[in-house]
Amino acid sequence: MIKIENLCRDWNEFQIDHVNLDIKTGEYFVILGPSGSGKTLLLELIAGIWQVDSGDIYMDGENVTWTPLEKRGVGFVYQNYMLFPHKTVFENIAFGLNMRKVDKKEVKERVDNMMKLLSIDHLAHRLPRTLSGGEQQRTALARALIINPRVLLMDEPLSALDRKTRDGLTHEMKELHQKFNITMIHVTHNFDEALSLADRIAIMKEGKISQVGDTTEIFRHPKDKFVADFVGVENIIKGVASKYREKLTVIDTENISIYTTEQIVGPVHVTVRPEDIILSNKKVETSARNVFEGKITEISDNGAIIKLTIDVGEPIIVFLTRQSFIDMELNIGSHVWTYFKATAVHAF
Amino acid sequence: MRKLDYTTIFFILMGSFLFFFVLIPIVNLIVSANPEVLLSNLQDQEVVSALFLSIYCALAATIIALLCGVPLAYLLARHDFWGKGFVESVIDVPLVIPHTVTGIILLLVFNPGGIFGAPLSHIGLTFNDAIPGIIVAMLFASSPFVVNSSREGFESVDPRMEKVARTLGSGSLKTFFIITLPLALRNVVVGSIMCWARAISEFGAIVILAYYPTTAPILIYRRFVDFGLTESIPVAVLLISVCLILFLIVRLLISGWKTYDKD
Protein backbone atom coordinates (compact mmCIF):
# COMPACT_ATOMS: atom_id res chain seq x y z
CA MET A 1 0.00 0.00 0.00
CA ILE A 2 2.77 2.33 0.99
CA LYS A 3 6.11 1.50 -0.44
CA ILE A 4 9.21 3.48 0.41
CA GLU A 5 12.32 2.94 -1.64
CA ASN A 6 15.81 4.17 -0.79
CA LEU A 7 14.53 7.30 0.88
CA CYS A 8 17.23 9.81 1.81
CA ARG A 9 17.05 13.23 3.38
CA ASP A 10 19.48 15.31 5.41
CA TRP A 11 17.97 17.89 7.68
CA ASN A 12 19.96 19.69 10.36
CA GLU A 13 21.08 17.09 12.88
CA PHE A 14 18.68 14.47 11.54
CA GLN A 15 19.04 12.27 8.54
CA ILE A 16 17.14 9.56 6.78
CA ASP A 17 19.52 7.08 5.26
CA HIS A 18 18.29 4.76 2.49
CA VAL A 19 15.08 3.73 4.17
CA ASN A 20 13.01 0.96 2.59
CA LEU A 21 9.61 0.05 3.98
CA ASP A 22 6.60 -1.83 2.72
CA ILE A 23 3.42 -1.14 4.63
CA LYS A 24 0.34 -3.20 3.91
CA THR A 25 -3.20 -1.94 3.46
CA GLY A 26 -5.05 -1.78 6.74
CA GLU A 27 -1.95 -2.42 8.76
CA TYR A 28 -1.15 -0.78 12.09
CA PHE A 29 2.51 -0.06 11.58
CA VAL A 30 4.67 1.34 14.36
CA ILE A 31 8.04 3.00 13.86
CA LEU A 32 9.89 2.63 17.15
CA GLY A 33 13.11 4.45 17.89
CA PRO A 34 14.91 6.60 20.44
CA SER A 35 14.72 10.38 20.15
CA GLY A 36 16.97 11.74 17.44
CA SER A 37 16.62 8.59 15.34
CA GLY A 38 14.85 10.54 12.59
CA LYS A 39 11.50 8.81 12.98
CA THR A 40 9.47 12.03 12.97
CA LEU A 41 11.34 13.24 9.90
CA LEU A 42 10.56 9.95 8.15
CA LEU A 43 6.87 10.39 8.96
CA GLU A 44 6.92 13.98 7.70
CA LEU A 45 8.58 12.84 4.49
CA ILE A 46 5.82 10.29 3.94
CA ALA A 47 3.25 13.06 4.49
CA GLY A 48 5.08 15.36 2.08
CA ILE A 49 5.80 18.03 4.69
CA TRP A 50 9.41 18.04 3.51
CA GLN A 51 10.79 17.07 0.15
CA VAL A 52 13.09 14.08 -0.17
CA ASP A 53 16.71 14.31 -1.31
CA SER A 54 16.38 11.04 -3.18
CA GLY A 55 14.26 7.92 -3.23
CA ASP A 56 10.60 7.23 -3.94
CA ILE A 57 7.33 6.98 -2.07
CA TYR A 58 4.41 5.03 -3.52
CA MET A 59 0.84 5.01 -2.24
CA ASP A 60 -1.55 2.50 -3.79
CA GLY A 61 0.97 2.00 -6.58
CA GLU A 62 1.08 5.69 -7.40
CA ASN A 63 4.37 7.54 -7.10
CA VAL A 64 3.63 10.45 -4.74
CA THR A 65 7.23 11.51 -4.07
CA TRP A 66 6.65 14.93 -5.61
CA THR A 67 2.92 15.29 -4.93
CA PRO A 68 2.25 18.40 -2.81
CA LEU A 69 1.05 17.51 0.67
CA GLU A 70 -2.45 18.90 0.22
CA LYS A 71 -2.98 16.48 -2.66
CA ARG A 72 -1.53 13.38 -0.98
CA GLY A 73 -4.60 12.49 1.03
CA VAL A 74 -2.83 11.65 4.26
CA GLY A 75 -4.02 12.40 7.77
CA PHE A 76 -1.44 13.73 10.19
CA VAL A 77 -1.60 13.88 13.97
CA TYR A 78 1.20 15.57 15.87
CA GLN A 79 2.26 14.99 19.44
CA ASN A 80 0.96 18.42 20.43
CA TYR A 81 -2.10 17.90 18.23
CA MET A 82 -1.69 21.26 16.46
CA LEU A 83 -5.36 22.08 16.71
CA PHE A 84 -6.22 25.46 15.20
CA PRO A 85 -6.54 27.57 18.34
CA HIS A 86 -8.88 30.12 16.77
CA LYS A 87 -11.39 27.51 15.67
CA THR A 88 -13.84 25.51 17.78
CA VAL A 89 -13.71 21.73 18.00
CA PHE A 90 -16.45 21.55 15.37
CA GLU A 91 -14.63 23.95 13.03
CA ASN A 92 -11.36 22.09 13.51
CA ILE A 93 -12.93 18.79 12.53
CA ALA A 94 -14.88 20.36 9.66
CA PHE A 95 -11.74 22.02 8.25
CA GLY A 96 -10.79 19.27 5.80
CA LEU A 97 -14.35 18.95 4.51
CA ASN A 98 -14.68 22.70 4.03
CA MET A 99 -11.44 22.69 2.03
CA ARG A 100 -13.05 20.09 -0.19
CA LYS A 101 -16.10 22.33 -0.60
CA VAL A 102 -18.42 19.72 0.83
CA ASP A 103 -22.02 20.89 1.14
CA LYS A 104 -22.76 22.57 4.54
CA LYS A 105 -25.45 20.12 5.53
CA GLU A 106 -23.28 17.14 4.81
CA VAL A 107 -20.37 18.71 6.74
CA LYS A 108 -22.57 19.10 9.80
CA GLU A 109 -23.80 15.54 9.54
CA ARG A 110 -20.38 14.00 9.09
CA VAL A 111 -18.72 16.10 11.79
CA ASP A 112 -21.52 15.28 14.23
CA ASN A 113 -21.12 11.58 13.52
CA MET A 114 -17.38 11.74 13.92
CA MET A 115 -17.67 13.62 17.21
CA LYS A 116 -20.14 11.03 18.52
CA LEU A 117 -17.84 8.23 17.48
CA LEU A 118 -15.00 9.75 19.48
CA SER A 119 -17.33 10.87 22.29
CA ILE A 120 -16.46 14.54 21.98
CA ASP A 121 -19.87 15.71 20.71
CA HIS A 122 -20.44 17.71 23.91
CA LEU A 123 -17.31 19.78 23.14
CA ALA A 124 -18.40 20.99 19.69
CA HIS A 125 -18.34 24.70 20.52
CA ARG A 126 -15.31 24.79 22.77
CA LEU A 127 -11.95 26.26 21.78
CA PRO A 128 -8.96 23.90 21.89
CA ARG A 129 -7.26 25.63 24.83
CA THR A 130 -10.18 24.70 27.09
CA LEU A 131 -9.81 20.98 26.38
CA SER A 132 -7.89 18.33 28.30
CA GLY A 133 -5.03 16.50 26.61
CA GLY A 134 -7.18 13.48 25.85
CA GLU A 135 -9.96 15.62 24.40
CA GLN A 136 -7.48 17.49 22.23
CA GLN A 137 -6.10 14.21 20.99
CA ARG A 138 -9.57 12.94 20.08
CA THR A 139 -10.26 16.18 18.23
CA ALA A 140 -7.00 15.87 16.32
CA LEU A 141 -7.81 12.25 15.42
CA ALA A 142 -11.32 13.22 14.30
CA ARG A 143 -9.97 16.08 12.19
CA ALA A 144 -7.55 13.73 10.42
CA LEU A 145 -9.96 10.80 10.05
CA ILE A 146 -12.89 12.75 8.61
CA ILE A 147 -11.18 13.27 5.24
CA ASN A 148 -10.92 9.48 4.83
CA PRO A 149 -7.16 9.60 4.38
CA ARG A 150 -5.31 6.83 2.56
CA VAL A 151 -3.11 6.56 5.60
CA LEU A 152 -3.16 8.09 9.07
CA LEU A 153 0.26 9.25 10.20
CA MET A 154 0.75 9.85 13.90
CA ASP A 155 3.79 11.35 15.56
CA GLU A 156 4.00 10.32 19.23
CA PRO A 157 0.22 10.71 19.53
CA LEU A 158 0.06 9.46 23.11
CA SER A 159 3.26 10.87 24.61
CA ALA A 160 1.83 14.12 25.91
CA LEU A 161 -0.88 12.35 27.90
CA ASP A 162 -0.90 11.11 31.46
CA ARG A 163 -0.74 7.39 32.05
CA LYS A 164 -4.44 6.82 32.62
CA THR A 165 -5.64 8.81 29.62
CA ARG A 166 -2.99 7.13 27.52
CA ASP A 167 -4.15 3.64 28.40
CA GLY A 168 -7.72 4.55 27.56
CA LEU A 169 -6.79 6.11 24.24
CA THR A 170 -4.51 3.24 23.30
CA HIS A 171 -7.47 0.95 23.58
CA GLU A 172 -9.62 3.35 21.58
CA MET A 173 -7.07 3.72 18.81
CA LYS A 174 -7.09 -0.02 18.37
CA GLU A 175 -10.87 0.16 17.94
CA LEU A 176 -10.64 3.09 15.56
CA HIS A 177 -8.15 1.18 13.47
CA GLN A 178 -10.60 -1.68 13.11
CA LYS A 179 -13.65 0.51 12.66
CA PHE A 180 -12.13 2.61 9.88
CA ASN A 181 -10.12 -0.24 8.47
CA ILE A 182 -7.43 2.34 7.77
CA THR A 183 -3.68 2.03 7.34
CA MET A 184 -1.93 3.66 10.27
CA ILE A 185 1.68 4.60 10.81
CA HIS A 186 2.47 5.47 14.38
CA VAL A 187 5.82 6.82 15.51
CA THR A 188 6.86 6.38 19.12
CA HIS A 189 9.78 5.84 21.47
CA ASN A 190 7.59 3.92 23.89
CA PHE A 191 7.74 0.18 23.44
CA ASP A 192 4.59 -0.47 25.53
CA GLU A 193 2.66 1.52 22.96
CA ALA A 194 4.30 -0.34 20.11
CA LEU A 195 3.51 -3.69 21.65
CA SER A 196 -0.12 -3.00 22.39
CA LEU A 197 -0.93 -1.42 19.04
CA ALA A 198 1.34 -2.68 16.30
CA ASP A 199 0.68 -5.33 13.72
CA ARG A 200 4.27 -4.84 12.70
CA ILE A 201 7.10 -2.73 14.09
CA ALA A 202 10.07 -1.10 12.43
CA ILE A 203 12.98 -0.25 14.68
CA MET A 204 14.77 2.93 13.66
CA LYS A 205 18.23 4.03 14.60
CA GLU A 206 20.26 6.96 13.31
CA GLY A 207 18.12 7.38 10.24
CA LYS A 208 18.18 3.72 9.30
CA ILE A 209 15.64 0.95 9.75
CA SER A 210 17.46 -1.76 11.66
CA GLN A 211 14.67 -4.34 11.91
CA VAL A 212 11.11 -4.84 10.73
CA GLY A 213 8.86 -7.57 12.03
CA ASP A 214 5.84 -8.45 14.11
CA THR A 215 6.00 -7.82 17.82
CA THR A 216 7.12 -11.26 18.90
CA GLU A 217 9.86 -11.34 16.33
CA ILE A 218 11.24 -7.99 17.40
CA PHE A 219 11.12 -8.64 21.11
CA ARG A 220 12.06 -12.30 21.09
CA HIS A 221 14.66 -12.18 18.39
CA PRO A 222 16.21 -8.73 18.31
CA LYS A 223 18.47 -8.67 15.31
CA ASP A 224 21.28 -6.77 16.97
CA LYS A 225 22.35 -5.43 20.32
CA PHE A 226 20.83 -2.03 19.62
CA VAL A 227 17.36 -3.48 19.18
CA ALA A 228 17.79 -5.71 22.23
CA ASP A 229 19.00 -2.84 24.40
CA PHE A 230 16.41 -0.46 23.09
CA VAL A 231 13.44 -2.72 23.56
CA GLY A 232 15.08 -3.63 26.85
CA VAL A 233 13.03 -6.64 27.86
CA GLU A 234 14.05 -10.21 28.40
CA ASN A 235 10.75 -11.81 29.30
CA ILE A 236 7.84 -10.97 27.13
CA ILE A 237 4.84 -13.26 26.89
CA LYS A 238 1.55 -12.88 25.04
CA GLY A 239 -1.76 -13.81 26.65
CA VAL A 240 -5.33 -12.92 27.45
CA ALA A 241 -6.04 -11.12 30.70
CA SER A 242 -9.15 -11.48 32.80
CA LYS A 243 -10.15 -10.49 36.31
CA TYR A 244 -9.30 -13.20 38.80
CA ARG A 245 -10.54 -11.52 41.96
CA GLU A 246 -10.31 -8.16 43.68
CA LYS A 247 -6.96 -6.54 42.80
CA LEU A 248 -5.72 -9.59 40.94
CA THR A 249 -5.69 -10.32 37.23
CA VAL A 250 -4.87 -13.63 35.63
CA ILE A 251 -3.22 -13.87 32.22
CA ASP A 252 -3.75 -17.05 30.28
CA THR A 253 -0.92 -17.71 27.82
CA GLU A 254 -2.45 -21.06 26.77
CA ASN A 255 0.46 -22.82 28.46
CA ILE A 256 0.61 -21.17 31.88
CA SER A 257 -1.39 -18.72 33.99
CA ILE A 258 0.42 -15.65 35.22
CA TYR A 259 -0.97 -13.41 37.95
CA THR A 260 -0.54 -9.67 38.11
CA THR A 261 -1.84 -6.92 40.38
CA GLU A 262 -2.39 -4.65 37.40
CA GLN A 263 -5.99 -4.12 36.34
CA ILE A 264 -6.41 -5.02 32.70
CA VAL A 265 -8.57 -7.24 30.52
CA GLY A 266 -8.26 -8.53 26.96
CA PRO A 267 -5.27 -9.49 24.83
CA VAL A 268 -2.06 -8.30 26.48
CA HIS A 269 1.68 -8.63 26.59
CA VAL A 270 3.32 -9.47 29.88
CA THR A 271 6.84 -8.59 30.93
CA VAL A 272 8.81 -9.70 33.96
CA ARG A 273 12.27 -8.40 34.71
CA PRO A 274 14.77 -11.26 35.10
CA GLU A 275 16.11 -9.76 38.33
CA ASP A 276 12.63 -10.10 39.89
CA ILE A 277 12.61 -13.87 39.38
CA ILE A 278 13.88 -16.17 42.13
CA LEU A 279 15.22 -19.60 41.30
CA SER A 280 15.48 -22.69 43.50
CA ASN A 281 16.30 -26.38 43.14
CA LYS A 282 13.24 -27.57 44.98
CA LYS A 283 9.79 -26.28 45.78
CA VAL A 284 9.75 -23.84 48.71
CA GLU A 285 6.94 -22.10 50.56
CA THR A 286 6.76 -18.50 49.46
CA SER A 287 4.34 -15.60 49.22
CA ALA A 288 5.04 -15.27 45.51
CA ARG A 289 1.92 -15.98 43.49
CA ASN A 290 3.63 -17.07 40.30
CA VAL A 291 5.35 -20.41 40.82
CA PHE A 292 6.42 -22.50 37.83
CA GLU A 293 8.43 -25.64 37.46
CA GLY A 294 10.62 -25.96 34.40
CA LYS A 295 13.72 -27.21 32.70
CA ILE A 296 16.83 -25.20 31.83
CA THR A 297 17.15 -25.05 28.07
CA GLU A 298 19.95 -22.57 27.62
CA ILE A 299 22.83 -21.21 29.69
CA SER A 300 24.84 -18.22 28.57
CA ASP A 301 27.84 -17.02 30.47
CA ASN A 302 28.13 -13.23 30.58
CA GLY A 303 31.00 -13.11 33.07
CA ALA A 304 29.76 -12.23 36.55
CA ILE A 305 26.15 -12.85 35.54
CA ILE A 306 24.83 -16.08 34.12
CA LYS A 307 21.73 -15.91 31.95
CA LEU A 308 19.47 -18.95 32.06
CA THR A 309 16.53 -19.74 29.82
CA ILE A 310 13.99 -21.93 31.57
CA ASP A 311 11.11 -23.58 29.80
CA VAL A 312 8.10 -23.48 32.13
CA GLY A 313 5.62 -23.77 29.28
CA GLU A 314 6.83 -20.35 28.14
CA PRO A 315 10.53 -19.48 27.94
CA ILE A 316 11.58 -17.44 30.97
CA ILE A 317 14.93 -15.70 31.31
CA VAL A 318 16.54 -15.57 34.74
CA PHE A 319 19.82 -13.97 35.83
CA LEU A 320 22.07 -15.59 38.42
CA THR A 321 25.37 -14.50 39.89
CA ARG A 322 28.24 -16.81 39.01
CA GLN A 323 28.55 -17.90 42.68
CA SER A 324 24.87 -18.96 43.00
CA PHE A 325 25.08 -20.70 39.68
CA ILE A 326 28.03 -22.81 40.93
CA ASP A 327 26.42 -23.41 44.34
CA MET A 328 23.18 -24.65 42.74
CA GLU A 329 25.06 -27.05 40.41
CA LEU A 330 22.84 -26.23 37.43
CA ASN A 331 23.08 -27.73 33.96
CA ILE A 332 21.06 -27.84 30.79
CA GLY A 333 18.06 -30.04 31.51
CA SER A 334 18.10 -29.40 35.30
CA HIS A 335 14.70 -29.14 36.95
CA VAL A 336 14.18 -25.82 38.75
CA TRP A 337 11.40 -23.76 40.30
CA THR A 338 10.90 -20.14 39.44
CA TYR A 339 9.06 -17.66 41.68
CA PHE A 340 7.97 -14.11 41.05
CA LYS A 341 5.46 -11.85 42.71
CA ALA A 342 2.25 -10.66 41.09
CA THR A 343 3.49 -7.10 41.64
CA ALA A 344 6.56 -7.82 39.47
CA VAL A 345 4.42 -8.59 36.43
CA HIS A 346 3.78 -5.75 34.03
CA ALA A 347 0.92 -6.20 31.59
CA PHE A 348 -0.03 -3.90 28.71
CA MET B 1 3.23 46.75 54.20
CA ARG B 2 6.11 44.71 52.85
CA LYS B 3 9.49 46.21 53.64
CA LEU B 4 11.46 47.15 50.53
CA ASP B 5 15.17 46.49 50.50
CA TYR B 6 17.57 49.34 49.78
CA THR B 7 18.40 48.16 46.23
CA THR B 8 14.75 48.32 45.23
CA ILE B 9 14.38 51.76 46.81
CA PHE B 10 17.50 53.01 45.03
CA PHE B 11 16.38 51.62 41.69
CA ILE B 12 12.90 53.11 42.08
CA LEU B 13 14.51 56.44 42.76
CA MET B 14 16.75 56.30 39.68
CA GLY B 15 14.07 54.84 37.42
CA SER B 16 11.44 57.38 38.38
CA PHE B 17 13.65 60.23 37.15
CA LEU B 18 13.34 58.89 33.63
CA PHE B 19 9.65 58.21 34.02
CA PHE B 20 8.87 61.75 35.20
CA PHE B 21 11.33 63.22 32.73
CA VAL B 22 9.08 61.90 29.96
CA LEU B 23 5.72 62.28 31.66
CA ILE B 24 5.95 65.81 33.07
CA PRO B 25 6.78 67.65 29.80
CA ILE B 26 3.93 65.88 27.98
CA VAL B 27 1.39 66.61 30.69
CA ASN B 28 2.74 70.15 30.98
CA LEU B 29 2.23 70.74 27.28
CA ILE B 30 -1.32 69.47 27.36
CA VAL B 31 -2.37 71.45 30.44
CA SER B 32 -0.63 74.61 29.24
CA ALA B 33 -2.83 74.73 26.16
CA ASN B 34 -5.74 77.11 26.40
CA PRO B 35 -8.93 75.20 25.43
CA GLU B 36 -10.37 78.21 23.61
CA VAL B 37 -7.25 78.66 21.52
CA LEU B 38 -7.27 74.94 20.87
CA LEU B 39 -10.83 75.15 19.58
CA SER B 40 -10.09 78.12 17.37
CA ASN B 41 -7.08 76.25 16.00
CA LEU B 42 -9.34 73.35 15.15
CA GLN B 43 -11.28 75.78 12.98
CA ASP B 44 -8.11 77.08 11.39
CA GLN B 45 -8.07 75.68 7.85
CA GLU B 46 -4.28 75.50 7.77
CA VAL B 47 -4.07 73.45 10.97
CA VAL B 48 -6.87 71.09 10.01
CA SER B 49 -5.50 70.40 6.55
CA ALA B 50 -1.98 69.85 7.94
CA LEU B 51 -3.31 67.35 10.50
CA PHE B 52 -5.45 65.66 7.90
CA LEU B 53 -2.52 65.49 5.47
CA SER B 54 -0.31 63.88 8.11
CA ILE B 55 -2.89 61.28 9.03
CA TYR B 56 -3.76 60.53 5.42
CA CYS B 57 -0.18 60.24 4.15
CA ALA B 58 0.81 58.14 7.16
CA LEU B 59 -2.10 55.81 6.45
CA ALA B 60 -0.99 55.43 2.83
CA ALA B 61 2.58 54.72 3.97
CA THR B 62 1.28 52.14 6.45
CA ILE B 63 -0.77 50.36 3.79
CA ILE B 64 2.26 50.13 1.49
CA ALA B 65 4.37 48.91 4.43
CA LEU B 66 1.74 46.24 5.13
CA LEU B 67 1.47 45.05 1.54
CA CYS B 68 5.22 44.55 1.21
CA GLY B 69 6.28 44.18 4.84
CA VAL B 70 3.96 41.32 5.81
CA PRO B 71 5.19 38.97 3.05
CA LEU B 72 8.77 39.91 3.92
CA ALA B 73 8.10 39.30 7.61
CA TYR B 74 6.67 35.88 6.81
CA LEU B 75 9.71 34.97 4.71
CA LEU B 76 12.06 36.03 7.49
CA ALA B 77 10.05 34.08 10.07
CA ARG B 78 9.88 30.85 8.09
CA HIS B 79 12.98 30.56 5.95
CA ASP B 80 16.68 30.52 6.53
CA PHE B 81 18.61 31.67 3.53
CA TRP B 82 22.01 32.97 2.62
CA GLY B 83 22.21 36.68 3.36
CA LYS B 84 19.26 36.69 5.76
CA GLY B 85 21.25 38.67 8.32
CA PHE B 86 21.97 41.28 5.69
CA VAL B 87 18.29 41.58 4.77
CA GLU B 88 17.37 41.96 8.44
CA SER B 89 19.98 44.66 8.95
CA VAL B 90 18.86 46.62 5.92
CA ILE B 91 15.27 46.57 7.18
CA ASP B 92 16.40 48.00 10.52
CA VAL B 93 18.73 50.67 9.14
CA PRO B 94 16.01 53.40 9.02
CA LEU B 95 15.72 53.08 12.81
CA VAL B 96 19.33 54.02 13.44
CA ILE B 97 20.12 56.75 10.92
CA PRO B 98 19.23 60.42 11.52
CA HIS B 99 16.00 61.32 9.81
CA THR B 100 17.55 64.31 8.06
CA VAL B 101 19.98 61.84 6.50
CA THR B 102 16.98 59.76 5.46
CA GLY B 103 15.64 62.90 3.76
CA ILE B 104 18.89 63.44 1.88
CA ILE B 105 19.12 59.78 0.84
CA LEU B 106 15.58 59.90 -0.51
CA LEU B 107 16.03 63.26 -2.19
CA LEU B 108 18.99 61.85 -4.12
CA VAL B 109 17.00 58.97 -5.59
CA PHE B 110 13.56 60.58 -5.82
CA ASN B 111 14.46 63.92 -7.38
CA PRO B 112 13.29 64.17 -11.01
CA GLY B 113 16.76 63.12 -12.18
CA GLY B 114 17.28 60.37 -9.56
CA ILE B 115 17.25 56.62 -10.22
CA PHE B 116 13.70 56.24 -8.90
CA GLY B 117 12.55 59.78 -9.58
CA ALA B 118 13.40 59.83 -13.29
CA PRO B 119 11.37 56.80 -14.43
CA LEU B 120 8.50 57.68 -12.08
CA SER B 121 8.34 61.25 -13.35
CA HIS B 122 7.44 59.79 -16.75
CA ILE B 123 4.21 58.43 -15.33
CA GLY B 124 3.54 61.76 -13.67
CA LEU B 125 4.77 61.02 -10.15
CA THR B 126 6.85 63.81 -8.60
CA PHE B 127 8.25 63.65 -5.11
CA ASN B 128 9.83 67.01 -4.47
CA ASP B 129 7.40 69.07 -2.42
CA ALA B 130 4.56 66.70 -3.24
CA ILE B 131 2.38 64.18 -1.41
CA PRO B 132 4.24 61.14 -2.84
CA GLY B 133 7.41 62.61 -1.34
CA ILE B 134 5.78 62.78 2.09
CA ILE B 135 4.61 59.20 1.75
CA VAL B 136 8.00 57.76 0.76
CA ALA B 137 9.69 59.67 3.58
CA MET B 138 7.18 58.22 6.05
CA LEU B 139 7.42 54.74 4.54
CA PHE B 140 11.19 54.67 4.76
CA ALA B 141 11.28 55.69 8.39
CA SER B 142 8.34 53.64 9.71
CA SER B 143 8.24 50.35 7.79
CA PRO B 144 10.56 48.49 10.23
CA PHE B 145 7.74 48.53 12.79
CA VAL B 146 5.45 46.54 10.51
CA VAL B 147 8.13 44.04 9.48
CA ASN B 148 9.50 43.40 12.95
CA SER B 149 6.19 43.13 14.73
CA SER B 150 4.58 40.93 12.06
CA ARG B 151 7.59 38.69 12.03
CA GLU B 152 7.31 38.19 15.76
CA GLY B 153 3.68 37.23 15.23
CA PHE B 154 4.47 34.71 12.49
CA GLU B 155 7.22 33.18 14.59
CA SER B 156 4.70 32.52 17.35
CA VAL B 157 2.60 30.35 15.02
CA ASP B 158 3.93 26.79 14.95
CA PRO B 159 4.82 25.91 11.35
CA ARG B 160 3.54 22.40 12.01
CA MET B 161 0.05 23.85 12.36
CA GLU B 162 0.33 25.13 8.79
CA LYS B 163 1.53 21.70 7.70
CA VAL B 164 -1.47 20.03 9.29
CA ALA B 165 -3.80 22.47 7.55
CA ARG B 166 -2.15 21.56 4.27
CA THR B 167 -2.52 17.81 4.81
CA LEU B 168 -6.23 18.56 5.25
CA GLY B 169 -6.33 19.96 1.74
CA SER B 170 -5.61 23.67 2.14
CA GLY B 171 -3.12 25.16 -0.34
CA SER B 172 -0.15 27.11 0.98
CA LEU B 173 -1.46 30.63 0.24
CA LYS B 174 -4.89 29.74 1.59
CA THR B 175 -3.28 28.32 4.73
CA PHE B 176 -1.48 31.62 5.20
CA PHE B 177 -4.73 33.56 5.05
CA ILE B 178 -6.96 31.29 7.13
CA ILE B 179 -4.51 29.91 9.71
CA THR B 180 -1.30 31.90 10.01
CA LEU B 181 -2.51 35.46 9.47
CA PRO B 182 -5.49 35.26 11.87
CA LEU B 183 -3.20 33.87 14.58
CA ALA B 184 -0.55 36.56 14.02
CA LEU B 185 -3.07 39.34 13.44
CA ARG B 186 -2.54 41.05 16.76
CA ASN B 187 1.15 41.57 16.04
CA VAL B 188 0.43 42.73 12.50
CA VAL B 189 -2.14 45.26 13.74
CA VAL B 190 0.05 46.50 16.58
CA GLY B 191 2.97 46.89 14.16
CA SER B 192 0.77 48.80 11.72
CA ILE B 193 -0.49 51.25 14.31
CA MET B 194 3.03 51.84 15.59
CA CYS B 195 4.06 52.41 11.97
CA TRP B 196 1.17 54.80 11.46
CA ALA B 197 1.91 56.79 14.63
CA ARG B 198 5.59 56.94 13.77
CA ALA B 199 4.78 58.10 10.24
CA ILE B 200 2.51 60.89 11.52
CA SER B 201 5.39 62.10 13.70
CA GLU B 202 7.96 62.09 10.89
CA PHE B 203 9.69 65.46 10.49
CA GLY B 204 13.36 65.13 9.59
CA ALA B 205 12.99 63.35 6.29
CA ILE B 206 9.91 65.31 5.23
CA VAL B 207 11.48 68.69 5.91
CA ILE B 208 14.14 67.90 3.32
CA LEU B 209 12.16 65.96 0.73
CA ALA B 210 8.73 67.61 0.83
CA TYR B 211 8.50 70.82 2.88
CA TYR B 212 5.27 71.50 1.04
CA PRO B 213 2.42 70.59 1.23
CA THR B 214 2.55 71.25 4.95
CA THR B 215 2.20 68.30 7.32
CA ALA B 216 1.49 68.86 11.00
CA PRO B 217 5.08 68.50 12.30
CA ILE B 218 6.25 70.98 9.65
CA LEU B 219 3.47 73.40 10.56
CA ILE B 220 4.50 73.28 14.22
CA TYR B 221 8.08 73.99 13.24
CA ARG B 222 7.07 76.88 11.00
CA ARG B 223 4.80 78.47 13.58
CA PHE B 224 7.57 78.13 16.14
CA VAL B 225 10.15 79.78 13.87
CA ASP B 226 7.81 82.50 12.58
CA PHE B 227 5.71 83.31 15.63
CA GLY B 228 7.33 81.68 18.66
CA LEU B 229 6.39 79.16 21.31
CA THR B 230 2.83 80.20 22.14
CA GLU B 231 1.69 79.92 18.53
CA SER B 232 3.13 76.46 18.12
CA ILE B 233 1.68 74.95 21.32
CA PRO B 234 -1.96 74.43 20.18
CA VAL B 235 -0.93 72.58 17.02
CA ALA B 236 1.54 70.54 19.06
CA VAL B 237 -1.20 69.57 21.51
CA LEU B 238 -3.52 68.54 18.70
CA LEU B 239 -0.84 66.44 17.03
CA ILE B 240 0.29 64.77 20.22
CA SER B 241 -3.35 63.94 21.01
CA VAL B 242 -3.70 62.09 17.72
CA CYS B 243 -0.47 60.15 18.37
CA LEU B 244 -1.40 59.37 21.96
CA ILE B 245 -4.83 58.09 20.95
CA LEU B 246 -3.21 55.75 18.44
CA PHE B 247 -0.69 54.69 21.05
CA LEU B 248 -3.46 54.06 23.55
CA ILE B 249 -5.19 51.81 21.04
CA VAL B 250 -1.96 49.84 20.70
CA ARG B 251 -1.69 49.38 24.45
CA LEU B 252 -5.30 48.28 24.69
CA LEU B 253 -4.83 45.83 21.84
CA ILE B 254 -1.73 44.35 23.44
CA SER B 255 -3.41 43.81 26.78
CA GLY B 256 -6.93 43.04 25.66
CA TRP B 257 -6.60 41.09 22.41
CA LYS B 258 -7.81 37.57 22.88
CA THR B 259 -4.92 35.25 22.29
CA TYR B 260 -6.22 31.79 21.69
CA ASP B 261 -3.66 29.90 23.69
CA LYS B 262 -4.21 31.83 26.91
CA ASP B 263 -7.19 32.82 28.99
Side-chain angles (χ1 to χ4, degrees), chain B residues 164-176:
Chain B
V164 168
R166 293 195 57 199
T167 63
L168 294 167
S170 163
S172 51
L173 191 63
K174 191 163 194 182
T175 303
F176 174 79

Side-chain angles (χ1 to χ4, degrees), chain A residues 70 82 86 100 129 143, chain B residues 158 166 168 178 260 263:
Chain A
E70 60 265 31
M82 290 296 143
H86 57 314
R100 284 164 177 70
R129 68 175 155 83
R143 182 177 66 177
Chain B
D158 196 318
R166 293 195 57 199
L168 294 167
I178 60 181
Y260 299 96
D263 283 304

